[in-house]
Amino acid sequence: MDEFKLGKPALVCRWRMSHGGLPLENRHIRALAARRLRGEDIPASLVAWVKQRIEWGLGEASCEHPDGVLMLVVDELGASALTLGPYHALEKTSANDLLARARASRREAQATGVAPEELWVAQSDSLVWGTSSEFSPSGASTLVFDLAHTMGMPVRRDDTLLLDAGLRGFAGGEVFLVSDEHGVVPASDRGGMRARKFAQGYAKLLDRHARPK
C-alpha cells in the first residue's frame, strides 16, 4: 500500500473490508465521486485511481488485514494515499454516543458533501434518516436505504434529528448508526428488533463476501 507522506488531510474515507475485499465497493466509489474537495467536485482521475487500485488488489496488506479498514487520505494539494489497517469496533455505543458521532460526521459533510456516519431512528414501521437533501448519501447509507425498501419500510429524511434528538428522546424509536467503517451499530440503550435486523443484514453481507480466486 502507499506510504503516508502527505500534507494536512482534506478528505478521509474509511471503508470496512471483508475477506480481503470491499463488499460495498461500488457504493463507496459512487459516494466518493459525489464528494467535494476544497469546494470543488472531486477529480474524476482520483476516483478512477482509487477504483483501479481496489480492483487490482490491495497486495500483502489485504492478507494481513483481510477484515480491516481501507483508508483513503487526500491532502490539501490533492495528493492521495491508500492504506489498510486493522478494524476496531466501537467501545461506546449508547444513543448519545452515536448521536455525537453523527454530529461530528455532519461537520465533515458540510465540507465534503457526504457524511460517512449518520444517525437513523426506526419508528413503528418507518425509518427516520438524520440527513439533509443537500448531502449525498454514503455507501453504507445507500445499503440501508435499499434494505428498508426490500422490507417495505418507508424512509424519510429529517434534517432536525441531530439538533433535537436528545430533547425529544429520539421520539421513542430504535436508534442506530450507519457507518462506512462500522456498518450498522444499534444503540446499546435504545436498540431493538428493527435495528438488529438492519445490523444482521449488514453482517450477512460481510460474511458472504469473498473476492473471486
Side-chain angles (χ1 to χ4, degrees):
M1 301 301 290
D2 300 330
E3 294 182 0
F4 276 93
K5 296 181 180 179
L6 302 176
K8 182 179 179 180
L11 174 67
V12 179
C13 297
R14 294 180 176 87
W15 300 325
R16 181 72 182 277
M17 301 282 292
S18 179
H19 300 282
L22 193 61
L24 301 184
E25 177 181 341
N26 291 333
R27 295 176 186 271
H28 289 320
I29 292 297
R30 286 195 295 269
L32 174 62
R35 283 174 163 85
R36 298 189 303 272
L37 186 62
R38 303 183 304 276
E40 299 180 356
D41 292 342
I42 199 165
S45 58
L46 173 59
V47 178
W49 175 79
V50 173
K51 183 175 178 63
Q52 185 179 67
R53 290 298 308 275
I54 295 172
E55 291 179 346
W56 284 2
L58 302 174
E60 295 180 0
S62 63
C63 297
E64 185 178 358
H65 304 292
D67 301 309
V69 176
L70 179 65
M71 184 165 67
L72 167 67
V73 179
V74 184
D75 71 14
E76 293 180 317
L77 297 180
S80 57
L82 280 171
T83 187
L84 182 57
Y87 170 71
H88 300 287
L90 291 177
E91 295 182 358
K92 298 180 179 181
T93 60
S94 72
N96 285 332
D97 289 324
L98 301 184
L99 174 60
R101 294 187 67 90
R103 285 174 171 167
S105 186
R106 169 63 64 89
R107 292 191 289 273
E108 180 175 336
Q110 291 168 344
T112 67
V114 175
E117 296 187 331
E118 295 176 312
L119 197 73
W120 293 62
V121 177
Q123 298 177 338
S124 184
D125 294 324
S126 66
L127 287 178
V128 180
W129 181 4
T131 189
S132 165
S133 59
E134 69 177 290
F135 302 128
S136 297
S138 67
S141 282
T142 64
L143 173 66
V144 171
F145 183 87
D146 289 345
L147 287 174
H149 179 73
T150 63
M151 296 176 188
M153 296 183 68
V155 177
R156 67 178 177 86
R157 298 188 183 210
D158 184 353
D159 191 35
T160 68
L161 182 63
L162 302 188
L163 299 176
D164 59 2
L167 296 176
R168 294 186 300 172
F170 302 99
E174 300 175 13
V175 179
F176 59 97
L177 186 76
V178 176
S179 166
D180 282 343
E181 180 178 1
H182 300 286
V184 179
V185 184
S188 57
D189 56 346
R190 294 299 302 269
M193 179 183 66
R194 298 176 187 84
R196 288 195 300 272
K197 184 175 294 186
F198 284 102
Q200 290 166 359
Y202 177 82
K204 287 180 181 178
L205 177 66
L206 296 188
D207 288 342
R208 69 170 179 259
H209 180 83
R211 184 171 290 278
K213 304 294 184 182

